[in-house]
Amino acid sequence: MDFSYTILIPLIPLAVFLLLGINYNRIKPAVSGWIGSAGLLITLILSYYTAYQYFFEVGKVGETYQSFVTQWRWMNFTDTLFIDMGVLIDQISVMMLVVVSTISFMVHLYSRGYMKGDPGTTKFFAFLSLFTFSMMGLVLAVNLFQIYIFWELVGVSSFLLIGYYYTKPSAVAAAKKAFIVTRFADLGFLIGILIIGYYGGSFDFAVLTDVEGSVIANWASTSFMGLSVITWGLILIFMGGAGKSAMFPLHIWLPDAMEGPTPVSALIHAATMVVAGVYLVARLFPLYYFVEEGYALNIVAWVGAFSALFAAIIALTQNDIKRVLAFSTMSQIGYMMLALGVSGYSGHDGLGYMASMFHLFTHAMFKGLLFLGAGSIIHAIHSNNLQDMGGLRKYMPITHITFLIAALSIAGFPGFAGFFSKDEILVAAFEHNKLLYGIGVLVAGLTAFYMFRLYFGIFWGKETAYKELPHESPASMTLPMIFLAFMSVVAGYIHFSEYVTADHAAFEVHLNYPLAAVAVSVGLLGILLAYVFYKKPSEMPDKVSNGFGAFYQWAYDKFYFDELYLFVTKEIIFKRIAAPFAWFDKKIVDGTMDLIGDSTVSGSEKIKKIQSGRLQDYAFAFIAGAVVLAMIFIYKWII
């Protein structure tokens, strides 16, 4: 089948962006919402049609899913090294089309209610469409350079959306922080691309990930500092993915990114941009797995595990509900990285890969719902602070029920989507490394606790006297929440191992009841503790937090990584490194140039009177010169 029509999937949001961006002063806000939503509806239909055709009609040949590539030459470097632009249709790109189009469409619908009355609504929808175009281009990329181009466009789009409230200094600072931190990571990504392209001889994913190809077969041909240069390239590429996915230690931008409008958080920080790093590792998975016996993949696993635990601990202490969800996102993406890191390649050995993609899919639904729920709450009471909330179930029944469904799903409660995908991750970790499995189980318990701390604190807890009586959000906001609540349950019943696998061949997966029982028990314990602590007003949370002493304060202050980076930046890089270089540049380099310039000016001032423009002066100079020359010649002749 010809999938060339899929080029329309990113081009339609681009057309909407251009239409709204160029005419944002002429298109009314309400109309812009309909235009943006209509464009995304077409993209959604095309994405679902592509998924149906690929998974159920033409994608599977025998027992294996095939890849379909439509591309054209863009740049030639050598006869063998070139860059194509095109569209790659395979298991994970089609899955991501479904995820991105679904969440983006829901966010567009939701934003029509959430952004009502905002004078910049047209510009907001233009930015949303630009981001969707960039993300679609990223997931459809056929090579490393194409994915890098759209990777940077995603960064620009997120900068615009995070800094949407540009009159707020905190929003501007957050946008710059996200942009700058991810630029450092993307530098590593670019260097990794150049290394892989140079030593692998190609940028194309089809060539790089061919398990029988020359890149994987000859990975040991060149080494540097004890590792293959291909391994170094993969580590640097993962650095780019870690920055975009807010993995430790490049995570500091994500909490501050909550300064953007809440629908932005649902789109960027739940289902799309932050999972780009996971998608990148999955896209290059054969390289990560086969090169140097998975050395780089082991780094992915441990960074993911540490990030999951680190973020979960911080999430326990935060009071801004969006920041709790931000650290929750970082923790869940750590889960996905962990699953990729412990995965094999063929058959059941590839359980971790399948589980990672499965969790990416389910997480998009329930985390998107959690952010939309948080937006509904903020829309009602005009505060992000958990301390300002309580008893909202009586005023916002739809938000209450949908938020509860999402919380149960992320906590891994049996029957909900998160239970199925998280269980497969833990099984894969158990089969690979017991310590990583233990970290995964601990994170599952912490996740259940902090999510139900949030749930009970918002909807139960103390009876708060609100200045303005809260009310349920309009249908434009609640309908997307209801749909995502539905998906937060039923997505778990998709037999994902039949559709998305590392080796493109389906395999059977069965629930591991003993390990599931452990995970569920730990999750229920976390929910029970949250119930005891936060269902009703109590002094117990303060006593327990005080019992942890300095460790609690460190977690509350995010282990001072912001302060550490500011210290390193200002006191070391700026004062100790940049300042001496600046002095040398100003005093020595500029000083030398200034000396040359000043000397020239001074000399010209002294000799410029020679050119007086008077004939008698020139005649005198001519005669005087002739006399002097004559005297020199006579003197030389006599001597």
Side-chain angles (χ1 to χ4, degrees), residues 475-515:
S476 59
M477 295 171 65
T478 55
L479 288 177
M481 291 163 59
I482 292 170
F483 175 80
L484 291 178
F486 173 75
M487 291 300 296
S488 297
V489 178
V490 302
Y493 295 92
I494 299 173
H495 296 288
F496 228 72
S497 62
E498 295 182 10
Y499 304 111
V500 180
T501 57
D503 63 351
H504 312 297
F507 65 89
E508 288 290 329
V509 173
H510 301 287
L511 192 64
N512 188 315
Y513 287 100
L515 294 183

Side-chain angles (χ1 to χ4, degrees), residues 310 550 553-555 557-566:
F310 178 81
Q553 189 61 43
W554 275 60
D557 290 322
K558 304 182 284 291
F559 293 97
Y560 301 102
F561 269 89
D562 284 301
E563 290 78 4
L564 174 63
Y565 285 176
L566 282 174

Side-chain angles (χ1 to χ4, degrees), residues 120-201:
T121 299
T122 302
K123 182 172 63 177
F124 176 78
F125 278 103
F127 291 164
L128 282 185
S129 295
L130 175 63
F131 177 84
T132 305
F133 157 70
S134 305
M135 196 66 205
M136 290 298 191
L138 188 154
V139 302
L140 291 171
V142 297
N143 58 59
L144 281 169
F145 255 106
Q146 185 181 347
I147 204 172
Y148 184 77
I149 291 168
F150 285 100
W151 190 274
E152 295 305 315
L153 279 173
V154 165
V156 171
S157 306
S158 68
F159 172 81
L160 294 172
L161 287 167
I162 293 168
Y164 173 76
Y165 295 124
Y166 58 88
T167 57
K168 287 175 59 180
S170 58
V172 174
K176 291 191 292 185
K177 186 177 183 180
F179 194 75
I180 292 169
V181 171
T182 53
R183 291 294 68 71
F184 280 101
D186 291 351
L187 174 62
F189 186 15
L190 180 59
I191 295 171
I193 289 173
L194 297 176
I195 291 173
I196 296 294
Y198 182 79
Y199 288 98

